[in-house]
Amino acid sequence: MSVPAIDCRNLTHRYGDFTAVDDLTLHVDTGETLGLLGPNGAGKTTVVRLLTTLAPIQHGQVHIFGLDARRDTMDIRYNLGYVPQQLSIEPALTGRQNVDWFARLYDVPRSARKQRVEQALEAMQLLDVADRLASTYSGGMVRRLELAQALVNQPSLLILDEPTVGLDPIARDSVWSQVASMQEQFGMTVLLTTHYMEEADVLCDRVALMHRGRLRAVGTPTELKTRVGPEASLEDVFRHYAGSGLEEAADHNGLGTVRAGRKAARDAG
């Protein structure tokens, strides 16, 4: 059997007294597309930070293609492409310069760098605007530029944290079309977080749904919908596992607790 692309076992992460991820065990097969779903505050972004080695492993184990996230940090990063929620481009540089900058960060060999940059820009259909300042790009173009940056090292694992939030439907379709093309070409494993249930339903081989730091359900979209009801949608699945108790959690935690949790997270970072 091949080594899983992602293997998390009993993963727990706390910010002060707040438990963001609670005893998470999850694996993602090589070449699979897995959607990590859940309401705001479910722990998804913390999981992404742990998988990308941007946060330390406190409790449990994380292996990426067999590499230990505690010991093999740099080797893991060379295998990753990552598009965060926040914009990660430099608007004062051209599109081409942005991608070249990431190629250098990923230590793409000088002899291959120019070709890799061209390939990444072409794959994201950005060659015709590559020499324009990134500050002139539309929202959809910026997201495609970020994908070009993430793909310039031809990663084995592509992690996308809400990559299409705020985009119009046409721009979203364009982003996913390019991701699917690159995945088919290079056999990448993809992990994505999204609040768009129709995206997860169409794009993901399996879905993992989190709520309050814990993993509530894992399965193919069809399996999860069947569990909830014969006519259920993935949005119904989301509500079934995460909808109940959201208002209760808001009342119980209060704004002060949320602020305290965010301060603890900032202090820990």
Side-chain angles (χ1 to χ4, degrees), residues 120-173:
L121 288 167
E122 182 179 13
M124 292 299 112
Q125 299 182 352
L126 290 171
L127 275 180
D128 58 335
V129 294
D131 295 312
R132 277 173 43 187
L133 290 178
S135 60
T136 68
Y137 285 16
S138 67
M141 290 164 65
V142 166
R143 269 315 194 194
R144 284 189 280 138
L145 179 58
E146 289 181 314
L147 280 165
Q149 291 175 163
L151 294 168
V152 73
N153 64 323
Q154 296 180 354
S156 300
L157 172 61
L158 180 63
I159 296 180
L160 308 171
D161 196 1
E162 297 190 35
T164 57
V165 65
L167 298 185
D168 63 64
I170 294 175
R172 284 165 55 194
D173 288 347

Side-chain angles (χ1 to χ4, degrees), residues 6 25 27 37 39 48 50 52 55 78 87 117-118 122 127 147 152 155 157 189-190 203 217 219 246 248 253:
I6 299 173
T25 293
H27 81 274
L37 310 182
V48 167
L50 295 168
T52 54
Y78 283 127
L87 295 180
V117 170
E118 292 295 305
E122 182 179 13
L127 275 180
L147 280 165
V152 73
L157 172 61
T189 303
V190 177
L203 299 168
L246 289 180
E248 174 190 344
N253 289 330

